[in-house]
Amino acid sequence: MRKKVTHICSVIAIMMMALSCNQATSQQASPEASVSEVQEQKVVINRISSDELETAMSAQEIQLVDVRTDREWESGHIKGAKHFEMNNANWQSQLETLDKDEPVYVYCAKGGRSARCAKQLEEAGFTAIYDLKGGLTSWKASGKAVE
């Protein structure tokens, strides 16, 4: 009986080693998977504060996009922002005017629409996307100017 248990344990151990070697080999044999995983890791959507956005704006010219409605835009927006209303028929063509190789900063009123916009930018191939936490509401609450 003891020999049978030892034999069964040995067989199980050999099978487990064979399976683990097989998995390691299949992972190494697929460089395409590694490349796509690296490409996916390059895409980053960062949620940033009003202060972080203000710092970025003061350091350089940025691609800043306001995705709110026309009416919201007219009631005040961040200086230097482009207005691309999400529900507009021109939405897709407006996105195409942005440089995919440069960071894009997006905001809306509170953060919901800009989060959806950030996801669409990611799907369109943008790799550096910044979404203003709390949107324009947070920007104004921080005492920052709108025009």
Side-chain angles (χ1 to χ4, degrees), residues 67-121:
V67 300
R68 299 174 306 141
T69 65
D70 290 337
R71 189 173 184 179
E72 289 172 304
W73 167 265
E74 290 164 4
S75 70
H77 54 273
I78 299 173
K79 184 177 182 174
K82 297 176 182 181
H83 181 224
F84 296 175
E85 183 179 346
M86 280 192 73
N87 297 324
N88 188 320
N90 298 326
W91 169 252
Q92 205 59 40
S93 62
Q94 289 175 320
L95 289 183
E96 291 170 6
T97 66
L98 298 171
D99 184 349
K100 289 183 182 183
D101 297 325
E102 294 295 324
V104 179
Y105 296 78
V106 295
Y107 73 92
C108 62
K110 295 183 180 177
R113 287 172 285 182
S114 61
R116 287 193 305 277
C117 173
K119 190 68 179 155
Q120 288 180 12
L121 290 169

Side-chain angles (χ1 to χ4, degrees), residues 6-23:
T6 304
H7 181 69
I8 291 172
C9 288
S10 297
V11 170
I12 291 172
I14 291 169
M15 289 174 58
M16 289 177 65
M17 286 190 299
L19 286 173
S20 66
C21 287
N22 219 6
Q23 288 176 341

Side-chain angles (χ1 to χ4, degrees), residues 35-93:
V35 171
S36 68
E37 288 171 8
V38 169
Q39 288 173 341
E40 286 179 30
Q41 291 173 357
K42 288 183 180 179
V43 176
V44 178
I45 298 174
N46 295 293
R47 297 197 64 225
I48 61 170
S49 68
S50 297
D51 289 337
E52 290 169 313
L53 176 57
E54 186 175 53
T55 299
M57 291 170 62
S58 65
Q60 62 189 5
E61 187 175 321
I62 63 170
Q63 297 184 106
L64 178 61
V65 179
D66 182 328
V67 300
R68 299 174 306 141
T69 65
D70 290 337
R71 189 173 184 179
E72 289 172 304
W73 167 265
E74 290 164 4
S75 70
H77 54 273
I78 299 173
K79 184 177 182 174
K82 297 176 182 181
H83 181 224
F84 296 175
E85 183 179 346
M86 280 192 73
N87 297 324
N88 188 320
N90 298 326
W91 169 252
Q92 205 59 40
S93 62

